[in-house]
Amino acid sequence: MKNEGTSRFYVPDVFPAVPDIEFTSTLIATARRLQSELDFGLHVGICASDDSFYGETPEWIEKLSRLGVINVEMESSAIFTVAYLRRCKAASICAVSGNLVTGEVIYETENKRLVEGWEKEIKVVLEAIYAYERQRQTQP
């Protein structure tokens, strides 16, 4: 869900910002394969890209939740837009740093779970890139 201004520089506001379906499928399959080994939760769905730090109001979070949006981050819609225009592959994986619906967030101290999540998602992404390239090489 585009809620940022960067992609407007490149395309009209109604232009969709979506990841590459083939790489996203590989990323999801890889995450599912590694989920028990790396011990992480896995959620797949629609994210909102907001371009402000901590600008979400309770009303905005409630609206996103009602729409079924499962994550708020800041980069993916602009990355998907630019990648599409440059004919590159792009997908998104996010470690969870808090729950904006329940208010369970960590701002004042080190978020150790987030750092651990980053380490796990890096492993998933590297494995997904390897799997994706291996699949491409075996296709006619």
Side-chain angles (χ1 to χ4, degrees):
M1 178 177 168
K2 290 192 317 186
N3 189 40
E4 46 77 29
T6 302
S7 62
R8 289 183 194 112
F9 183 80
Y10 300 97
V11 295
D13 203 27
V14 295
F15 194 90
V18 294
D20 177 81
I21 190 69
E22 291 174 350
F23 186 65
T24 298
S25 296
T26 302
L27 185 60
I28 293 167
T30 303
R32 286 185 175 142
R33 182 173 54 81
L34 295 175
Q35 186 176 8
S36 62
E37 176 187 330
L38 297 178
D39 188 31
F40 59 83
L42 176 62
H43 308 278
V44 177
I46 295 174
C47 297
S49 281
D50 291 355
D51 59 2
S52 65
F53 283 105
Y54 316 116
E56 294 83 15
T57 64
E59 296 79 18
W60 180 246
I61 296 302
E62 183 181 326
K63 180 179 181 176
L64 294 177
S65 182
R66 278 195 322 267
L67 291 171
V69 172
I70 65 169
N71 185 45
V72 177
E73 48 74 47
M74 297 180 71
E75 298 86 11
S76 66
S77 65
I79 291 170
F80 296 159
T81 299
V82 173
Y84 177 80
L85 293 173
R86 293 185 177 227
R87 293 173 173 63
C88 297
K89 305 288 182 184
S92 176
I93 183 171
C94 299
V96 176
S97 64
N99 187 325
L100 297 174
V101 174
T102 65
E104 298 172 54
V105 294
I106 298 173
Y107 294 129
E108 303 303 322
T109 62
E110 180 184 8
N111 190 331
K112 293 179 182 179
R113 288 184 59 210
L114 179 59
V115 173
E116 183 180 302
W118 289 336
E119 292 170 357
K120 291 177 182 182
E121 72 182 357
I122 289 168
K123 290 176 184 178
V124 170
V125 168
L126 291 174
E127 285 293 321
I129 292 168
Y130 178 74
Y132 180 80
E133 289 300 321
R134 194 172 59 231
Q135 288 170 346
R136 285 188 45 199
Q137 290 174 1
T138 60
Q139 293 176 350

